[in-house]
Amino acid sequence: MNRYTWVFSFAWICISSTIVSSTSWAMEDSVWANKVFSWVPSQVHFVGDFEISWDNTDGYSTLRVFHQTDPNRELWSTRTGESFVQAKKTSFQAHEGRGSFTIEMDIQSSLTIQTVSYLYSTYDTLFVGGRLFSSDFSSQAYYFLYFEEQEDGHLRFISIVWDDDCDDGFCIENYNQIGLTYSSSADERFLGFGEQFSFLDLKGHVVPILTEEGGIGRGRQPLTFLMNLGGTGSGGTAYTSYASIPHYLTSLNRSLFLESSEYCIFDLSDDDSVRLTVQAPWVVGRILYGSTPLELIERYTQYAGRMKALPDWLNEGAVVGLQGGTKALYENWRKLQEHDTPVAAFWIQDWSGIRKSIVGSQVWWNWELDEDHYSDWTGLRADLEEADIRIMGYVSSMMVDASLKGTFERNLHDEALERELVVHKDNGDPYYVQGVFFDALMLDLTNPETRVWFKDILKAELIDRGFSGWMADFSDALPFDSLLHNRQDAATFHNLYTESWAQVNREAIEEAGREGDIIFFNRSGSTRSPRHSTLFWEGDQLVTWDEHDGFKSAIVGLISGGLSGMSLNHSDIGGYTAIDLIFLRLFRERQLFYRWAEANAFTAVYRTHEGNRPKQNHQFYSDDESLRHFARFAKVYRALAPYRRDLMLEAETKGYPLVRHPYLEFPEDPKVLELRYQWMLGSEMMIAPVTNKWDDEVSLYLPAGRWTHLWSGATYEGGNQITVQAPVGEPGVFFKEGSAVGHDLVVQLQAEGIID
């Protein structure tokens, strides 16, 4: 008997022996909806270092959680007199199209009246249980809510709903959605939820947790509307995310996350409550205790995992994204050398070949080197090694039929089909995931043979050929109706697929004996992705300035993701997605490239991407002025290497993000919660890039203390909103007065001739 079977059986015994008859509640329906009823007297229980109080005064009951270290601070509580566990029977479908999902849900019945029949404490655990009823008392089910201290500062909770309308007496299939309702306050701010690109404070919003394509436009019109015409959901929304995570921390220093991986919604639209629904008959999560926001992140990343420091070679310059084959690489390398640009690596995502479509250039998804496209590979590799420059590539969790390409050594699509290593439909057919102009097979990562096979490909085709890293793309498109090798429910595994994809890439590096030297970067993630991934990037933003899907959204996503364990993260300099329609043309402009490059020098990685339309987008190699600007901030990035190493050690040991919401460092200052487009790099520096095309100054808020402006050396008193000049080449950058980090940066930039 496993742990959860024991918990379930114990709760059933308690309910069977103490349940209150439902007949006494059969009164007017509407009066009792969303209410909790109990005759269980007030009491206090200790679960490890947590204190859980049950207050039942005059029939109005509340369940509250405290920590004995800080007994007056409420960590979590139900709403007085309101049901805190609910259940629904739903018809639920998630339709996948090009990696985007459209949810259809029809509520067939709801159980919103709750009774609490018992509280029972044993072995540092607490059971709360009773029944749930529909508003007309025609339907009922049983529930329990179970608490245990999993580790220091972690109060784990499990809630399950079931009924006895089946042969064996235990049915958890009939009610397939569970809800928890608990209290909040009107002024409580909610931060986190993984990468949220539109909003930092999610109070007042309804936040779905589902890993999927971010969407093109995400509310920018008419682009979003046009994208949706091409495929429902393809335009995205303000909440669609490649890395949506069921975790938050709040301005009241509260934090909660779910271990459950199923689709869920955090409804924060009410001033005084949180309404959580999980598309399953159970929910597993944890309430965290920490004295500061940083301590809460440290607690959270004990579970989510912590990202290891990046290798030193990546710290030494730009990761330059190029396409076009050997000749194009040499031509642009020469230009970079002429401007003394520090280069850590060339990232050649088209190493496996390129295919053209009306949306631009796309990589051939057959993961082997195309030696026609990259001729004299041995010579190129030797030249780069001599210059101490690494090579990086690209893979994804999907494959296409290489026979359409014509030239190949291995057709991985056919190999995977023959060995049944791919995701299937429930009728046994291979499940092709629809792309814009071609469909692809998706690796079935629940099959151990798939994992071994693909790790061998990574080792043979990338590591053995001299690659020091790669983009590990996609992994967010697993359809909910897939048939998996291990017969796991695909709806449960959907978000976990992203974690498994990162784990496969990580294991290939470890098995090759190259951990700490080779890296990969993921765009998609879930709760425990930081445990496996070496680096994240934010996916495909528009080549625009806007807050929906452009530069501003990348800043918000970077700050937000760091709150949920994505300690090492970055974006494509200048964005990725260009649009070329008859009535809508969006290409990367010079000014956008400049300002985005300035901002990314103060993040984990300084990396370019030519985008989906390299010829129309402005590039670092478009002219000498752009090359000079790119080289300038590659040197700024390199000058920050010692500080980044210290911050990456904090990420590895404590889970702290490099790019930090100022709230993490100044939790007592309510004004920092209003900030949206400025961040702290570690604890010592404040960054406020220019985010509007024509601006040559930037307005920012400096918290308490005195701050030194990097470019002028002027000092400013904290606790104030200030405006400083910010011409091209001088974004808003400040460090704490007297900071050794700031002093060393100034000395290094003076040696480079960047500042006087």
Side-chain angles (χ1 to χ4, degrees), residues 501-571:
W501 170 237
Q503 186 178 28
V504 165
N505 284 267
R506 182 65 164 267
E507 288 175 357
I509 294 169
E510 292 171 348
E511 291 170 12
R514 300 287 297 279
E515 186 176 18
D517 183 49
I518 291 178
I519 65 107
F520 60 94
F521 48 108
N522 300 107
R523 76 168 188 180
S524 299
S526 192
T527 306
R528 303 191 89 175
S529 293
R531 182 174 300 275
H532 307 295
S533 183
T534 60
L535 176 65
F536 291 100
W537 109 97
E538 294 188 84
D540 303 338
Q541 280 79 48
L542 287 173
V543 291
T544 59
W545 298 85
D546 69 80
E547 70 276 17
H548 301 288
D549 194 20
F551 181 29
K552 293 185 181 73
S553 76
I555 295 172
V556 172
L558 189 65
I559 298 170
S560 179
L563 297 165
S564 293
M566 302 173 73
S567 303
L568 306 176
N569 201 356
H570 70 296
S571 63

Side-chain angles (χ1 to χ4, degrees), residues 94-203:
H95 302 282
E96 186 274 335
R98 299 172 184 167
S100 296
F101 288 82
T102 303
I103 304 298
E104 292 183 4
M105 183 169 57
D106 178 37
I107 299 173
Q108 299 170 342
S109 63
S110 299
L111 306 180
T112 62
I113 300 174
Q114 178 183 5
T115 67
V116 175
S117 304
Y118 69 89
L119 279 81
Y120 189 87
S121 180
T122 181
Y123 301 113
D124 275 341
T125 65
L126 176 66
F127 288 88
V128 181
R131 287 191 188 184
L132 304 174
F133 300 92
S134 61
S135 61
D136 62 0
F137 296 94
S138 63
S139 301
Q140 64 173 312
Y142 306 99
Y143 77 91
F144 72 78
L145 178 59
Y146 164 81
F147 295 98
E148 64 174 344
E149 185 177 45
Q150 188 71 12
E151 53 189 308
D152 288 346
H154 290 241
L155 181 66
R156 194 182 204 206
F157 61 87
I158 302 171
S159 188
I160 298 178
V161 173
W162 76 99
D163 63 25
D164 54 8
D165 188 19
C166 56
D167 293 339
D168 61 8
F170 296 99
C171 295
I172 61 172
E173 297 86 6
N174 290 335
Y175 290 93
N176 61 351
Q177 184 185 103
I178 192 169
L180 293 180
T181 298
Y182 49 97
S183 67
S184 179
S185 62
D187 59 350
E188 187 171 15
R189 309 296 184 88
F190 283 74
L191 310 171
F193 297 106
E195 281 182 342
Q196 293 294 324
F197 294 96
S198 298
F199 306 101
L200 281 173
D201 174 18
L202 276 302
K203 181 70 172 183

